[in-house]
Amino acid sequence: KAGVTQTPRYLIKTRGQQVTLSCSPISGHRSVSWYQQTPGQGLQFLFEYFSETQRNKGNFPGRFSGRQFSNSRSEMNVSTLELGDSALYLCASSPGPEGTGNTIYFGEGSWLTVV
Amino acid sequence: AQSVTQLGSHVSVSEGALVLLRCNYSSSVPPYLFWYVQYPNQGLQLLLKYTTGATLVKGINGFEAEFKKSETSFHLTKPSAHMSDAAEYFCAVIRAGSSASKIIFGSGTRLSIRP
């Protein structure tokens, strides 16, 4: 079955603009998580959604937000972009929020460059 | 709390040589452990995981890892390196039963293969 799909794959934005990234989880998966990956900070957790509810949020400013739709698809939004927001944004899905060894599957990521 | 330490940010081996990537974890409760691989410009792909049961875990592409509770280690090995193994490898730990938001990633080890 299809994996986690993220769109767009690459985008360039100007400082101060906003951006919306989209993620379609694996069919049947109801939990979606977002991560930011940068060379300096590594992989950092942004937020997790399950059944349209945000269950956990990482240590990021309020400019970073997200949501999940009834079909489990998720979007994340970053407003008032800063140069430091340039990163690879990874979406991951898993069957449910509570793990019993549930594996987290990642998408290809969305490369955001802020100029 | 859980933590992961990957020893060596960069490992270089010759083609055909043994690959050994080190991962030590800290967890006060039984952990689930994962190894992910990231090829250039791609997302994270699951190599293998340990949840319960057999401590020697076999993954894709000829990789395996052994869970050693006494040493709190989960080192990744491959008997014979191939050029296509060049990538970044991430060890990750999550407490059994926790949601995806609680997964902790190591800082990554970049594997280079010399011809």
Side-chain angles (χ1 to χ4, degrees), chain B residues 14-60:
Chain B
S14 298
E15 191 175 17
L18 171 72
V19 175
L20 170 60
L21 304 182
R22 299 178 186 274
C23 172
N24 287 91
Y25 69 91
S26 172
S27 178
S28 56
V29 296
Y32 292 156
L33 295 155
F34 305 84
W35 275 100
Y36 286 89
V37 60
Q38 186 175 34
Y39 298 103
N41 301 319
Q42 294 189 23
L44 274 66
Q45 180 183 1
L46 178 72
L47 272 178
L48 49 80
K49 67 176 180 180
Y50 168 80
T51 55
T52 59
T55 56
L56 181 63
V57 181
K58 294 187 185 297
I60 63 171

Side-chain angles (χ1 to χ4, degrees), chain A residues 55-67:
Chain A
R55 294 183 62 91
N56 290 288
K57 190 176 193 302
N59 188 26
F60 279 82
R63 301 185 295 107
F64 291 80
S65 63
R67 59 179 176 168

